[in-house]
Amino acid sequence: MHPIWSGAISFGLVTIPIKVFPATESHSISLHQFHTADGGRIRYRKVCEADGKELTSEEITRGYETAVGIIPVTDEDLDALPLPTAKAIEIVAFVPTESIDPIRIGASYYLAAEGVAAKPYELLRQALERSSKVAVAKFAMRDRERLGLLRVLDDVIVLHGMRWPDEIRDASQVDVPDVEVSDEEIEAAIALADTLAGRDTGEMHDEYREALERLIEAKTAGTRPEPVETPAPASAEVVDLMAMLEKSVSHAKASRTGADATVHDLPAAKKTTKKTAAKKTAAKQTPTKKTAGRKPRSA
């Protein structure tokens, strides 16, 4: 792997020089657009709207569009910004892992240290492990300041990019249906959840990509893969919810094999008094007024 960024972790008065490596990679298959008639490749070109001329990268600069026109923002302008996190990952807090909402987690990076940085790196790594906490940090990468999360994975410190609080939309904007469910149905759903518990997510794979690979291989050889019967789309109307839950548990049991497969029976049918699910709308508080969004550093 090649580092994509280098700087330092600022941990109080401790500074840890580090290199940043991408922790993830894309295995998606890239498809291109072609002209149906002659097979010519269709590409996206950078064309100036004013004179229609196609431009090279050297002829293009960045800027921010305002009511009075475009304000140019150069690399020199960005480098001169008073940003303390320009070459540093500044730890600002240690918090319990469960206090971080997964909706805020973004791209992930491995952090590596060498030479004299090895000991403070190990110090931070063990502090994170023994405290059972994660570190919230600020850092700058690709022309903007970001919020990050530091944690330990297999003896390596991992940096997860995080979204700023004002980048998360208010969930109260989503309409929540007001329906009734019975205790029996809730218990059946929990039984299904228990049956599906314990799956090793490390064994999961991208079935769509694999099918696309088989299609490309077959068409390269002048054939086509055998068509696969796809299940009919689920109906939006559930006639018998309990029957669907029972069927789901049966399918889950059939698909789980091996010693680690733990299955649970559905609760015995019984008469229960239905109760109305708690209305989220009634429990909602008046949403806190959000602060104005930060001005972008570049367009």
Side-chain angles (χ1 to χ4, degrees):
M1 293 191 296
H2 300 285
I4 61 171
W5 190 81
S6 61
I9 300 175
S10 175
F11 176 34
L13 297 179
V14 178
T15 300
I16 312 171
I18 49 94
K19 293 181 179 179
V20 178
F21 298 85
T24 60
E25 59 186 359
S26 174
H27 290 168
S28 297
I29 298 175
S30 298
L31 301 178
H32 302 295
Q33 292 185 326
F34 291 88
H35 185 192
T36 305
D38 55 23
R41 176 79 179 273
I42 307 300
R43 300 180 183 272
Y44 295 96
R45 305 184 185 277
K46 298 177 180 179
V47 177
C48 175
E49 293 182 353
D51 58 16
K53 178 183 175 183
E54 184 177 345
L55 306 177
T56 63
S57 298
E58 291 73 21
E59 297 175 284
I60 300 173
T61 187
R62 288 167 295 193
Y64 184 72
E65 190 170 2
T66 68
V68 297
I70 297 177
I71 308 300
V73 180
T74 65
D75 290 338
E76 292 74 18
D77 293 330
L78 296 173
D79 292 339
L81 289 175
L83 190 60
T85 55
K87 295 296 286 184
I89 299 172
E90 179 187 355
I91 295 178
V92 294
F94 285 84
V95 299
T97 305
E98 58 272 16
S99 68
I100 302 297
D101 193 322
I103 197 173
R104 298 184 61 183
I105 302 297
S108 303
Y109 309 91
Y110 291 134
L111 305 185
E114 54 191 23
V116 296
K119 186 170 183 177
Y121 181 95
E122 179 66 11
L123 173 67
L124 176 59
R125 189 189 70 78
Q126 291 204 30
L128 289 169
E129 276 194 332
R130 294 192 186 186
S131 67
S132 299
K133 288 183 170 61
V134 293
V136 177
K138 295 170 68 176
F139 67 104
M141 185 184 291
R142 294 170 183 163
D143 300 338
R144 70 185 184 94
E145 188 174 58
R146 301 165 185 257
L147 197 61
L149 177 71
L150 295 175
R151 70 179 183 97
V152 178
L153 174 65
D154 296 334
D155 296 333
V156 176
I157 297 177
V158 181
L159 169 66
H160 299 283
M162 290 180 63
R163 296 175 178 86
W164 294 95
D166 62 1
E167 292 179 323
I168 306 300
R169 291 180 174 176
D170 191 345
S172 65
Q173 299 177 31
V174 180
D175 291 331
V176 179
D178 180 17
V179 295
E180 291 184 351
V181 292
S182 67
D183 288 339
E184 184 182 39
E185 290 167 334
I186 295 173
E187 290 171 8
I190 293 174
L192 175 58
D194 289 340
T195 304
L196 295 175
R199 288 196 63 184
D200 183 2
T201 57
E203 296 179 356
M204 296 181 180
H205 52 93
D206 186 347
E207 297 183 40
Y208 179 84
R209 176 174 61 86
E210 292 173 355
L212 185 56
E213 287 176 344
R214 291 193 294 269
L215 172 64
I216 294 173
E217 289 173 0
K219 298 195 75 171
T220 301
T223 62
R224 290 187 66 88
E226 291 294 326
V228 178
E229 183 178 350
T230 56
S235 171
E237 181 182 358
V238 180
V239 179
D240 188 338
L241 188 56
M242 282 299 298
M244 296 299 292
L245 288 168
E246 291 174 352
K247 187 175 181 180
S248 298
V249 171
S250 297
H251 285 180
K253 287 182 178 181
S255 64
R256 298 294 300 276
T257 57
D260 63 335
T262 302
V263 295
H264 300 265
D265 292 325
L266 281 172
K270 58 182 179 180
K271 293 183 179 181
T272 56
T273 303
K274 292 188 177 183
K275 62 180 182 180
T276 305
K279 297 181 180 179
K280 289 190 176 182
T281 52
K284 287 175 183 173
Q285 302 293 328
T286 303
T288 305
K289 185 177 181 181
K290 293 193 175 185
T291 55
R294 293 169 292 106
K295 294 183 179 179
R297 298 190 181 279
S298 60

